[in-house]
Amino acid sequence: HGQVTKLGATGRTAEVEKFCPQALMIIDTALKWLVSQSNGTTEVNAVRAVRVSLLRIAGRVKDALPEAEQLMADEPDNGSYIRMLALLSEQLALIEDASRNAATLDRAEALWSKLLEDGRLRETAPAVYWEARYQWLAHQLRHGRAADVIKAVEAERAWFPELGGPPWQGRLMELVEKARAGTKGP
């Protein structure tokens, strides 16, 4: 999983396509064994989460979505699962037709918002906080709330000048520029 994640992050899609099926076979075998040996869902869900992550990286969003939704149903307050489903929703919106796109984007926005409800997220998982903050603000810009986006980023910058550092600082500043230019979304 770690190797596939690194390859996906570097844009090496040919290598991801090569390794993902192998990794998924291993995960599926491990999952079958674990389900047969386990009484609880925690370990099984952890392996299912890796499977969902691999499917997402491989671009198989529609295959990953039902499993991610089941993870959320099992543990609705698990921040990792909320983030996973938000990322899948964002990715799904890119491949959907326009009639379904808005609802999927609204779902992603609601999931990012749910993550941000955790008042300790910035301290406990700063990378997740800044990702969620950027994504949620991008949705605000999508709704035409440019002034709110500018104010929010300026307020964050006053307290946290680094804005989470790379890559979020740059992305947030790009969002502000888009807001000032009157364009919608990332």
Side-chain angles (χ1 to χ4, degrees):
H1 173 253
Q3 181 68 21
V4 174
T5 303
K6 288 177 190 174
L7 291 171
T10 60
R12 294 161 63 182
T13 54
E15 292 177 57
V16 167
E17 289 171 5
K18 176 183 172 188
F19 286 114
C20 234
Q22 295 168 351
L24 282 167
M25 284 190 328
I26 293 167
I27 291 295
D28 287 344
T29 301
L31 191 55
K32 285 177 190 171
W33 179 84
L34 191 56
V35 166
S36 73
Q37 300 297 310
S38 178
N39 299 1
T41 59
T42 304
E43 298 86 5
V44 172
N45 281 352
V47 176
R48 282 190 175 127
V50 171
R51 186 175 193 283
V52 169
S53 179
L54 287 170
L55 289 169
R56 185 181 67 77
I57 290 166
R60 294 175 49 190
V61 178
K62 291 181 181 180
D63 293 335
L65 204 55
E67 209 155 345
E69 289 169 345
Q70 183 59 53
L71 289 169
M72 278 284 297
D74 290 347
E75 298 180 50
D77 294 324
N78 184 315
S80 295
Y81 299 161
I82 295 168
R83 179 181 177 268
M84 179 185 302
L85 195 52
L87 288 169
L88 283 167
S89 297
E90 297 283 355
Q91 202 169 344
L92 181 61
L94 296 173
I95 60 174
E96 282 183 328
D97 62 50
S99 65
R100 297 178 62 195
N101 181 279
T104 302
L105 288 171
D106 289 346
R107 180 183 192 190
E109 177 185 354
L111 290 163
W112 294 120
S113 180
K114 185 173 180 166
L115 274 175
L116 292 169
E117 288 173 6
D118 179 351
R120 299 176 314 123
L121 187 62
R122 186 184 301 119
E123 290 79 34
T124 60
V128 174
Y129 171 81
W130 290 105
E131 176 184 31
R133 188 69 168 140
Y134 165 78
Q135 294 287 3
W136 186 81
L137 287 170
H139 284 287
Q140 302 319 296
L141 188 55
R142 175 176 64 92
H143 294 304
R145 300 180 189 128
D148 293 340
V149 169
I150 294 167
K151 285 179 192 175
V153 174
E154 287 175 353
E156 289 277 14
R157 195 170 189 188
W159 289 99
F160 306 98
E162 310 292 312
L163 292 173
W168 305 115
Q169 181 181 39
R171 290 182 184 173
L172 285 163
M173 295 315 296
E174 286 174 14
L175 204 57
V176 167
E177 291 307 313
K178 287 178 181 181
R180 288 187 175 130
T183 57
K184 290 188 177 186

